[in-house]
Amino acid sequence: MAHVLRAPLNGNALQQLHAGDEVLVQGTVYAARDAAHQKMIAALEAGQPLPFDIEGQIIYYVGPCPAPPGRIIGSAGPTTSSRMDVYTPALLQRGLKAMIGKGDRSQEVKEAMKKHGAVYLAAVGGAGVYLAHRITAVETIAYPELGPEALLKMEFQDFPCIVAIDMRGQSVYQASDE
Amino acid sequence: MRIVETELIKKAVKEAVKTANTRLPVDVLTSLEKARDNETVPHARQVLDILLQNAHQAQTENMPLCQDTGLVTVHVQLGQEVALTGGSLYEAINQGIGEGYTEGYFRASMVKDPFERVNTGDNTPAVVHLEMIAGDKVIITVFPKGAGSENMGRTIMLKPADGWEGARRFVVDTVRIANANPCPPIIVGVGVGGNLEKACLLAKKALLRPIDQPHPDRRIAAREAQLLQDINKLGIGPQGMGGDTTALAVTMEVYPTHIASLPVAVSLNCHSARRAVVTV
């Protein structure tokens, strides 16, 4: 049976998740990738607030295709998470509780996840149409000038993920010994 | 001499990018089905099932297979008996891409300057490779490729003494380091020989070959098979979460090289291995 996750998340819900578990994400998720992360970190460094209250929230690493007529969103699968590693600890420190993406994370991110009690979920990379069917609402909430990299607020219904790294630092990925 | 209007090239590129982004090539689809049937790890089989379902949805709903509709490489094989008229070949190609991506609701993923990083808005420009061939036809191959896999490519100038074993180790290490990032199951394009840029081009050219076609030279085909076996022993599996299927195929191209050189390039392609070929 898949666990159901709904933001805002608390430590108790996340405590039960183990690497390899199936999860269905429901409700509100914020979508951001490289450029939006850079802007959020710049805002924090300038002492300004983030465009949304990040406490207990989930960020999905995605830059969707434009919505064709009659749809709310185009294909929308996960992007490679490691590009966000450099920005992630600062967001975890401010209460971010889960990230959805694809591929392994850095040691720094794993340590920050353990420290702040967060999980990392993997969605199937390249399943853009399949996953778009699980997104029921989309709204641009910041940085519209970034086009496909704008900060979006999404609503998920039964969005399937695997717990890739749990809050104890256990991982489904083998070490790549780079 | 055959006169070809560049307007025809534009139209061909436009249709080709629409097809490539929404329809997985038959050889890739068949290979994914075979992998799903042979995969022994249950959750790996589940991932492959989702990918097949996604390919079906993309085709029936006319949606892009992946949100990363890529940087488009366009290989133009230009018959030397063709005279192009009506404008620049490069402009025609980029107009075809711009119109195709806009009409197809595909993501614009190109930024104008690598440091300023402002989106060009219509996924142009393409990277164009031009090759002269005999005859009066123009054969155009469009190859949209996402950055998840592209970012994991590597090249090395080995010493001749490193030989096949050195090349083999470099290819397998490239896949190991790439791990889950290039969206396995991957296709591994290997280019060996020539010089620095030739090896890279050969690796990319290798990725254009249908994956059910081994190299016509039996010795090279045997090396491809050996590399595929080595890579699938890594156990990275679909999406990097373990399994038998790390790569669907290894394709390799070679070229004569300098007495002091052994250039090796590896280009990884994701399972959404999109390409389309049109002849004008």
Side-chain angles (χ1 to χ4, degrees), chain A residues 114-135:
Chain A
K114 276 199 264 187
K115 186 171 169 194
H116 302 291
V119 296
Y120 168 57
L121 310 171
V124 175
V129 194
Y130 180 89
L131 292 171
H133 279 274
R134 312 297 178 97
I135 302 170

mmCIF file of all heavy atoms in Angstrom, chain A residues 114-135:
data_model
loop_
_atom_site.group_PDB
_atom_site.id
_atom_site.type_symbol
_atom_site.label_atom_id
_atom_site.label_comp_id
_atom_site.label_asym_id
_atom_site.label_seq_id
_atom_site.Cartn_x
_atom_site.Cartn_y
_atom_site.Cartn_z
ATOM 1 N N LYS A 114 18.604 15.055 7.061
ATOM 2 C CA LYS A 114 18.590 14.368 8.365
ATOM 3 C C LYS A 114 18.398 15.387 9.491
ATOM 4 O O LYS A 114 17.599 15.191 10.394
ATOM 5 C CB LYS A 114 19.920 13.613 8.580
ATOM 6 C CG LYS A 114 19.940 12.243 7.927
ATOM 7 C CD LYS A 114 21.030 11.363 8.542
ATOM 8 C CE LYS A 114 22.286 11.433 7.697
ATOM 9 N NZ LYS A 114 23.331 10.499 8.118
ATOM 10 N N LYS A 115 19.132 16.475 9.379
ATOM 11 C CA LYS A 115 19.110 17.498 10.428
ATOM 12 C C LYS A 115 17.710 18.119 10.578
ATOM 13 O O LYS A 115 17.238 18.349 11.683
ATOM 14 C CB LYS A 115 20.137 18.580 10.074
ATOM 15 C CG LYS A 115 20.324 19.636 11.133
ATOM 16 C CD LYS A 115 21.497 20.532 10.792
ATOM 17 C CE LYS A 115 21.516 21.757 11.696
ATOM 18 N NZ LYS A 115 22.416 22.785 11.172
ATOM 19 N N HIS A 116 17.068 18.376 9.435
ATOM 20 C CA HIS A 116 15.785 19.082 9.491
ATOM 21 C C HIS A 116 14.580 18.160 9.302
ATOM 22 O O HIS A 116 13.447 18.628 9.224
ATOM 23 C CB HIS A 116 15.760 20.199 8.439
ATOM 24 C CG HIS A 116 16.863 21.191 8.608
ATOM 25 N ND1 HIS A 116 16.921 22.071 9.674
ATOM 26 C CD2 HIS A 116 17.979 21.430 7.873
ATOM 27 C CE1 HIS A 116 18.021 22.810 9.569
ATOM 28 N NE2 HIS A 116 18.678 22.436 8.485
ATOM 29 N N GLY A 117 14.806 16.851 9.185
ATOM 30 C CA GLY A 117 13.702 15.900 9.090
ATOM 31 C C GLY A 117 12.910 16.022 7.809
ATOM 32 O O GLY A 117 11.698 16.250 7.818
ATOM 33 N N ALA A 118 13.590 15.887 6.666
ATOM 34 C CA ALA A 118 12.914 16.011 5.369
ATOM 35 C C ALA A 118 13.124 14.750 4.539
ATOM 36 O O ALA A 118 14.031 13.960 4.825
ATOM 37 C CB ALA A 118 13.450 17.229 4.616
ATOM 38 N N VAL A 119 12.296 14.566 3.521
ATOM 39 C CA VAL A 119 12.432 13.406 2.627
ATOM 40 C C VAL A 119 12.599 13.878 1.183
ATOM 41 O O VAL A 119 12.193 14.979 0.816
ATOM 42 C CB VAL A 119 11.210 12.450 2.694
ATOM 43 C CG1 VAL A 119 11.074 11.838 4.079
ATOM 44 C CG2 VAL A 119 9.933 13.143 2.259
ATOM 45 N N TYR A 120 13.196 12.970 0.395
ATOM 46 C CA TYR A 120 13.355 13.233 -1.041
ATOM 47 C C TYR A 120 12.637 12.126 -1.799
ATOM 48 O O TYR A 120 12.883 10.936 -1.575
ATOM 49 C CB TYR A 120 14.843 13.280 -1.393
ATOM 50 C CG TYR A 120 15.115 13.262 -2.874
ATOM 51 C CD1 TYR A 120 14.557 14.229 -3.720
ATOM 52 C CD2 TYR A 120 15.919 12.277 -3.442
ATOM 53 C CE1 TYR A 120 14.794 14.202 -5.077
ATOM 54 C CE2 TYR A 120 16.167 12.246 -4.807
ATOM 55 C CZ TYR A 120 15.595 13.213 -5.618
ATOM 56 O OH TYR A 120 15.815 13.180 -6.971
ATOM 57 N N LEU A 121 11.716 12.534 -2.662
ATOM 58 C CA LEU A 121 10.900 11.585 -3.416
ATOM 59 C C LEU A 121 11.304 11.597 -4.884
ATOM 60 O O LEU A 121 11.603 12.662 -5.434
ATOM 61 C CB LEU A 121 9.414 11.964 -3.313
ATOM 62 C CG LEU A 121 8.871 12.229 -1.909
ATOM 63 C CD1 LEU A 121 7.451 12.796 -1.979
ATOM 64 C CD2 LEU A 121 8.897 10.952 -1.069
ATOM 65 N N ALA A 122 11.297 10.413 -5.514
ATOM 66 C CA ALA A 122 11.607 10.341 -6.944
ATOM 67 C C ALA A 122 10.340 10.035 -7.716
ATOM 68 O O ALA A 122 9.573 9.135 -7.346
ATOM 69 C CB ALA A 122 12.652 9.254 -7.205
ATOM 70 N N ALA A 123 10.109 10.797 -8.779
ATOM 71 C CA ALA A 123 9.037 10.487 -9.725
ATOM 72 C C ALA A 123 9.714 9.913 -10.974
ATOM 73 O O ALA A 123 10.923 10.055 -11.143
ATOM 74 C CB ALA A 123 8.251 11.742 -10.070
ATOM 75 N N VAL A 124 8.945 9.266 -11.834
ATOM 76 C CA VAL A 124 9.544 8.609 -13.004
ATOM 77 C C VAL A 124 9.929 9.667 -14.051
ATOM 78 O O VAL A 124 9.070 10.318 -14.637
ATOM 79 C CB VAL A 124 8.591 7.568 -13.625
ATOM 80 C CG1 VAL A 124 9.197 6.985 -14.904
ATOM 81 C CG2 VAL A 124 8.327 6.447 -12.628
ATOM 82 N N GLY A 125 11.243 9.811 -14.262
ATOM 83 C CA GLY A 125 11.746 10.769 -15.246
ATOM 84 C C GLY A 125 11.348 10.345 -16.653
ATOM 85 O O GLY A 125 11.475 9.179 -17.000
ATOM 86 N N GLY A 126 10.872 11.300 -17.426
ATOM 87 C CA GLY A 126 10.495 11.004 -18.804
ATOM 88 C C GLY A 126 9.058 10.553 -18.958
ATOM 89 O O GLY A 126 8.611 10.309 -20.080
ATOM 90 N N ALA A 127 8.328 10.435 -17.840
ATOM 91 C CA ALA A 127 6.905 10.067 -17.935
ATOM 92 C C ALA A 127 6.055 11.346 -17.890
ATOM 93 O O ALA A 127 5.153 11.491 -17.074
ATOM 94 C CB ALA A 127 6.530 9.099 -16.817
ATOM 95 N N GLY A 128 6.371 12.275 -18.787
ATOM 96 C CA GLY A 128 5.792 13.616 -18.737
ATOM 97 C C GLY A 128 4.286 13.684 -18.905
ATOM 98 O O GLY A 128 3.607 14.464 -18.228
ATOM 99 N N VAL A 129 3.751 12.866 -19.798
ATOM 100 C CA VAL A 129 2.301 12.898 -20.042
ATOM 101 C C VAL A 129 1.581 12.181 -18.895
ATOM 102 O O VAL A 129 0.602 12.689 -18.345
ATOM 103 C CB VAL A 129 1.930 12.194 -21.370
ATOM 104 C CG1 VAL A 129 0.500 12.519 -21.777
ATOM 105 C CG2 VAL A 129 2.888 12.583 -22.488
ATOM 106 N N TYR A 130 2.099 11.023 -18.545
ATOM 107 C CA TYR A 130 1.536 10.203 -17.458
ATOM 108 C C TYR A 130 1.405 11.033 -16.175
ATOM 109 O O TYR A 130 0.379 11.008 -15.498
ATOM 110 C CB TYR A 130 2.467 9.005 -17.250
ATOM 111 C CG TYR A 130 2.074 8.043 -16.169
ATOM 112 C CD1 TYR A 130 1.229 6.972 -16.450
ATOM 113 C CD2 TYR A 130 2.563 8.184 -14.872
ATOM 114 C CE1 TYR A 130 0.880 6.068 -15.458
ATOM 115 C CE2 TYR A 130 2.221 7.284 -13.875
ATOM 116 C CZ TYR A 130 1.387 6.237 -14.177
ATOM 117 O OH TYR A 130 1.047 5.343 -13.193
ATOM 118 N N LEU A 131 2.450 11.782 -15.847
ATOM 119 C CA LEU A 131 2.440 12.557 -14.607
ATOM 120 C C LEU A 131 1.573 13.806 -14.721
ATOM 121 O O LEU A 131 0.953 14.221 -13.742
ATOM 122 C CB LEU A 131 3.875 12.907 -14.189
ATOM 123 C CG LEU A 131 4.712 11.694 -13.762
ATOM 124 C CD1 LEU A 131 6.177 12.079 -13.574
ATOM 125 C CD2 LEU A 131 4.171 11.053 -12.483
ATOM 126 N N ALA A 132 1.503 14.401 -15.917
ATOM 127 C CA ALA A 132 0.665 15.596 -16.104
ATOM 128 C C ALA A 132 -0.806 15.275 -15.795
ATOM 129 O O ALA A 132 -1.555 16.139 -15.330
ATOM 130 C CB ALA A 132 0.801 16.128 -17.531
ATOM 131 N N HIS A 133 -1.201 14.023 -16.028
ATOM 132 C CA HIS A 133 -2.577 13.612 -15.736
ATOM 133 C C HIS A 133 -2.894 13.674 -14.240
ATOM 134 O O HIS A 133 -4.057 13.667 -13.853
ATOM 135 C CB HIS A 133 -2.821 12.180 -16.239
ATOM 136 C CG HIS A 133 -3.116 12.100 -17.702
ATOM 137 N ND1 HIS A 133 -4.370 12.249 -18.223
ATOM 138 C CD2 HIS A 133 -2.293 11.908 -18.765
ATOM 139 C CE1 HIS A 133 -4.319 12.136 -19.546
ATOM 140 N NE2 HIS A 133 -3.064 11.937 -19.899
ATOM 141 N N ARG A 134 -1.856 13.707 -13.402
ATOM 142 C CA ARG A 134 -2.073 13.710 -11.949
ATOM 143 C C ARG A 134 -2.019 15.124 -11.372
ATOM 144 O O ARG A 134 -2.013 15.313 -10.167
ATOM 145 C CB ARG A 134 -1.024 12.829 -11.252
ATOM 146 C CG ARG A 134 -0.841 11.450 -11.871
ATOM 147 C CD ARG A 134 -2.124 10.641 -11.770
ATOM 148 N NE ARG A 134 -1.995 9.328 -12.404
ATOM 149 C CZ ARG A 134 -1.722 8.202 -11.746
ATOM 150 N NH1 ARG A 134 -1.552 8.219 -10.448
ATOM 151 N NH2 ARG A 134 -1.632 7.056 -12.400
ATOM 152 N N ILE A 135 -1.920 16.119 -12.256
ATOM 153 C CA ILE A 135 -1.876 17.513 -11.808
ATOM 154 C C ILE A 135 -3.217 18.154 -12.171
ATOM 155 O O ILE A 135 -3.612 18.153 -13.333
ATOM 156 C CB ILE A 135 -0.692 18.267 -12.455
ATOM 157 C CG1 ILE A 135 0.625 17.561 -12.096
ATOM 158 C CG2 ILE A 135 -0.670 19.733 -12.016
ATOM 159 C CD1 ILE A 135 1.843 18.060 -12.869
#
